[in-house]
Amino acid sequence: MKAFSFERAIDAAQAAKRAFEMPGSKFIAGGTNLLDLMKHEIEVPPHLIDVTHIGLDEITATDDGGLRIGALVSNTALGADERIRRDYPVLSRALFAGASSQLRNKASTGGNLLQRTRCPYFFDPKMPCNKREPGAGCAALDEGADTRQLGVIGTSDHCIATHPSDMAVALRVLDAEVETIDPEGRTRRLTLDEFYLLPDDTPEVENALSPGEIITAVVLPAPVGGTQRYFKVRDRASYAFALVSVALIEQENGEGRVALGGVAPRPWRRDDADAELANGATAVMAKLLDGARPTPDNAYKLVLAERTLAALLAKE
Amino acid sequence: MTSTTTFEKHRESAQTRSSVALTINGQRHELTLDNRTTLLDALREHLNLTGSKKGCDHGQCGACTVFIDGQRVNACLTLAVMHQDDEITTIEGVGGVEHLDPMQQAFIDHDAFQCGYCTPGQICSAKATLEEIRAGIPSHVTKELTGPIELSDEEIRERMSGNLCRCGAYANILEAIRQVAKERA
Ligand SMILES: Cc1cc2nc3c(=O)[nH]c(=O)nc-3n(C[C@H](O)[C@H](O)[C@H](O)COP(=O)(O)OP(=O)(O)OC[C@H]3O[C@@H](n4cnc5c(N)ncnc54)[C@H](O)[C@@H]3O)c2cc1C
Ligand code: SF4
Ligand code: FES
Ligand code: FES
């Protein structure tokens, strides 16, 4: 790990200002992704800003019947919250499907959204990776590369990595928004499709945050009801990242919403695919995965996504 | 000047050590540490509390599991300087030869280890598993999110999945946890 200076921020606005003043600095919340990457020297911040004492660790009701989840609420606290369990069960399910109890106790809502890809070449400093080193090339696109875990849609000729978060897939299906504050003290709200950027020719730019801008909360709209499910397919029964995951909200009348994890650089959802829900999994996937560009090693994800959705729709 | 050289200049000139007071097993320790020091390295290398083990150093094995303010965490993935004023409990604080914790006794009774390397982390997680079920925190295998949580083998296995054992003592670890759960019931 490279040496760094360290400070503890007192509130979000001050943290944003300090981050802007110290180029290259990083916020640290749970540390479960950042420290992992710093040990590999994939992240080499010269300065860390500890945001674990800025408050923002509560879940509060909003005026329009939804919930505001502070950026520092832990994954355990969020998944176990009674209101989330009752009104947004897909979110609880997604959280408990991720990582381990120890990690969830530390992992924060903001940090979970900003965790980086698990692409094996991103983790291997000896291999070229456009995300780590813009312009270096992408080892995953080389002949014979291991792409089994990588993306099938939304990818580009410069990067085919996926976003690994389970939580974000549930937030996408719930139409959650990310709330931020920038170094000037301005706040804004972004949908997840505005927040997460597709790689195109700049895979190193993963989100819409400006320098110093910090996540303060995630806002859930009023509950939408329905039957909510999260199904994660992985290589072992627990403590592994998704190969494919499906977040589903199904209403009595057959309408609903679907988002996919493990297939794209961000949680993957399309309105025109949601509209096909009453027509079954094949019809949904024809829209949702339209334009997919799988590799021979990960084309199985297209089949797996469809079968997973079909299995969920067949459940009582 | 490229940003990389700016960063390196900063590293050379900036303060990269900090003072921190850690409260471990009820005892306060004043330390001045390189900011990079993880809680695990502070315990093992600076305070001679070598019960917590380093398996992977990347959050993947659970050998470093300790309690911070009552919650189990991986000590390898958190910085010591972030824990001023927190209450930290390690396996040494859970119990020792003279005063074994019931979970430690159960691990002995059931031969719940072979080499013993993963054991301190397993015991901390085993205690946390029962606490978390009692506190009503659901898991991936909990059937009804809003209903009571069954103290089943399946629940225990899922909640222990963050702790790996190279010797494969899993079956006996499960027995040990069941014994303590039964004693408490
Ligand atoms: C072994 C292992 C298994 C895992 N398995 C899964 C899994 O199955 N599913 C899954 O979804 N995840 C999994 N994870 C990832 C885990 O969920 C993340 O590491 C965690 O959610 C990150 O949260 P954190 O608070 O620790 O983030 P940190 O490590 O503190 O930060 C991560 C990033 O977010 C930035 N950041 C943090 N807070 C803010 C903020 N408020 N505003 C702006 N930037 C911020 C940091 O600067 C950093 O760049 C796993 C991790 C490990 C180590
Ligand atoms: S797929 Fe993306 S993250 Fe993986 S090596 Fe290529 S550029 Fe890097
Ligand atoms: S040493 Fe911390 S999880 Fe392996
Ligand atoms: S007893 Fe040897 S690793 Fe678990």
Side-chain angles (χ1 to χ4, degrees):
Chain A
M1 205 189 302
K2 297 265 189 170
F4 55 86
S5 48
F6 177 86
E7 72 180 89
R8 191 187 258 201
I10 52 166
D11 61 39
Q14 184 238 8
K17 207 177 265 169
R18 288 294 293 147
F20 188 76
E21 287 164 8
M22 303 286 288
S25 64
K26 284 254 165 197
F27 303 120
I28 183 163
T32 60
N33 187 233
L34 184 58
L35 288 173
D36 192 1
L37 294 170
M38 286 170 67
K39 288 180 186 197
H40 287 292
E41 297 194 359
I42 293 164
E43 300 269 20
V44 290
H47 184 73
L48 286 188
I49 301 169
D50 176 0
V51 295
T52 57
H53 292 81
I54 63 173
L56 304 180
D57 54 358
E58 283 179 8
I59 304 171
T60 51
T62 61
D63 292 342
D64 55 6
L67 292 174
R68 172 182 279 104
I69 305 157
L72 274 301
V73 172
S74 76
N75 287 180
T76 301
L78 181 56
D81 185 272
E82 272 178 36
R83 295 160 291 182
I84 301 289
R85 279 149 76 175
R86 188 188 59 222
D87 298 331
Y88 307 92
V90 66
L91 179 54
S92 281
R93 289 294 182 194
L95 284 159
F96 290 124
S100 66
S101 299
Q102 289 98 311
L103 289 161
R104 291 191 296 268
N105 282 344
K106 279 242 112 211
S108 66
T109 306
N112 189 314
L113 284 175
L114 286 172
Q115 63 174 299
R116 312 231 21 219
T117 185
R118 309 305 286 200
C119 169
Y121 304 108
F122 174 73
F123 270 86
D124 183 350
K126 291 190 296 294
M127 305 299 278
C129 169
N130 287 324
K131 234 187 222 315
R132 252 191 291 111
E133 202 186 325
C138 167
L141 293 169
D142 289 348
E143 184 85 16
D146 172 12
T147 58
R148 188 172 164 272
Q149 301 165 60
L150 301 182
V152 294
I153 195 161
T155 54
S156 77
D157 290 340
H158 302 272
C159 178
I160 61 168
T162 61
H163 193 274
S165 169
D166 290 299
M167 179 190 80
V169 182
L171 291 179
R172 180 68 188 89
V173 92
L174 290 165
D175 279 334
E177 292 187 341
V178 180
E179 192 183 87
T180 68
I181 187 165
D182 76 3
E184 308 282 318
R186 288 175 300 220
T187 61
R188 61 171 174 157
R189 270 201 202 176
L190 300 160
T191 66
L192 285 192
D193 274 1
E194 290 163 351
F195 181 76
Y196 287 121
L197 305 179
L198 294 179
D200 296 325
D201 53 6
T202 52
E204 73 281 9
V205 188
E206 295 171 353
N207 57 65
L209 293 178
S210 60
E213 188 172 5
I214 183 171
I215 299 175
T216 48
V218 168
V219 182
L220 291 173
V224 293
T227 303
Q228 305 192 4
R229 294 200 173 92
Y230 188 76
F231 197 93
K232 177 174 177 181
V233 186
R234 44 187 160 174
D235 282 332
R236 54 183 186 194
S238 185
Y239 204 18
F241 285 93
L243 295 170
V244 163
S245 68
V246 177
L248 170 69
I249 301 180
E250 221 186 336
Q251 302 293 353
E252 292 267 335
N253 63 5
E255 287 178 3
R257 313 166 172 192
V258 191
L260 297 180
V263 297
R266 67 178 175 211
W268 201 250
R269 183 171 162 209
R270 277 174 60 155
D271 291 343
D272 59 355
D274 285 354
E276 294 293 332
L277 207 58
N279 301 324
T282 308
V284 171
M285 290 303 162
K287 292 278 196 266
L288 193 51
L289 295 173
D290 181 34
R293 305 191 316 162
T295 67
D297 276 350
N298 68 21
Y300 76 91
K301 289 194 176 189
L302 304 178
V303 185
L304 192 55
E306 183 175 324
R307 288 187 186 162
T308 306
L309 178 62
L312 288 181
L313 291 174
K315 263 193 189 174
E316 271 310 300
Chain B
M1 197 163 32
T2 69
S3 62
T4 331
T5 51
T6 320
F7 293 1
E8 294 318 315
K9 276 233 162 75
H10 175 88
R11 280 189 233 283
E12 279 164 27
S13 59
Q15 182 62 258
T16 57
R17 295 172 70 80
S18 305
S19 296
V20 62
L22 296 177
T23 307
I24 300 160
N25 305 328
Q27 217 183 321
R28 200 175 147 92
H29 304 265
E30 310 266 351
L31 297 169
T32 300
L33 298 169
D34 186 307
N35 292 337
R36 288 173 285 192
T37 314
T38 60
L39 177 59
L40 180 61
D41 285 341
L43 294 170
R44 294 181 51 84
E45 311 293 333
H46 296 268
L47 297 167
N48 208 24
L49 289 165
T50 54
S52 309
K53 296 291 186 269
K54 186 184 284 189
C56 65
D57 214 19
H58 288 279
Q60 298 173 355
C61 76
C64 64
T65 303
V66 301
F67 296 92
I68 300 179
D69 293 337
Q71 290 200 309
R72 56 170 155 163
V73 303
N74 304 101
C76 71
L77 283 188
T78 189
L79 295 172
V81 294
M82 291 176 76
H83 295 293
Q84 174 84 31
D85 302 329
D86 291 344
E87 295 278 342
I88 297 155
T89 305
T90 67
I91 189 68
E92 289 90 344
V94 168
V97 185
E98 304 292 316
H99 50 98
L100 286 175
D101 182 88
M103 191 64 78
Q104 291 173 314
Q105 186 61 54
F107 268 61
I108 296 168
D109 295 346
H110 292 275
D111 255 339
F113 45 81
Q114 204 177 102
C115 76
Y117 196 80
C118 70
T119 312
Q122 299 280 3
I123 290 174
C124 289
S125 261
K127 286 176 67 67
T129 287
L130 296 183
E131 284 307 318
E132 288 159 10
I133 292 175
R134 190 165 15 183
I137 298 171
S139 82
H140 177 58
V141 300
T142 306
K143 302 270 173 325
E144 293 288 334
L145 275 179
T146 49
I149 300 169
E150 222 183 303
L151 218 164
S152 63
D153 291 358
E154 197 190 7
E155 280 284 356
I156 295 173
R157 284 200 185 94
E158 163 61 23
R159 290 165 193 270
M160 292 298 292
S161 71
N163 292 76
L164 306 191
C165 174
R166 286 292 303 271
C167 300
Y170 298 112
N172 294 359
I173 292 170
L174 178 63
E175 287 302 320
I177 299 173
R178 282 170 44 170
Q179 172 180 312
V180 176
K182 218 184 301 154
E183 283 166 6
R184 286 206 190 152

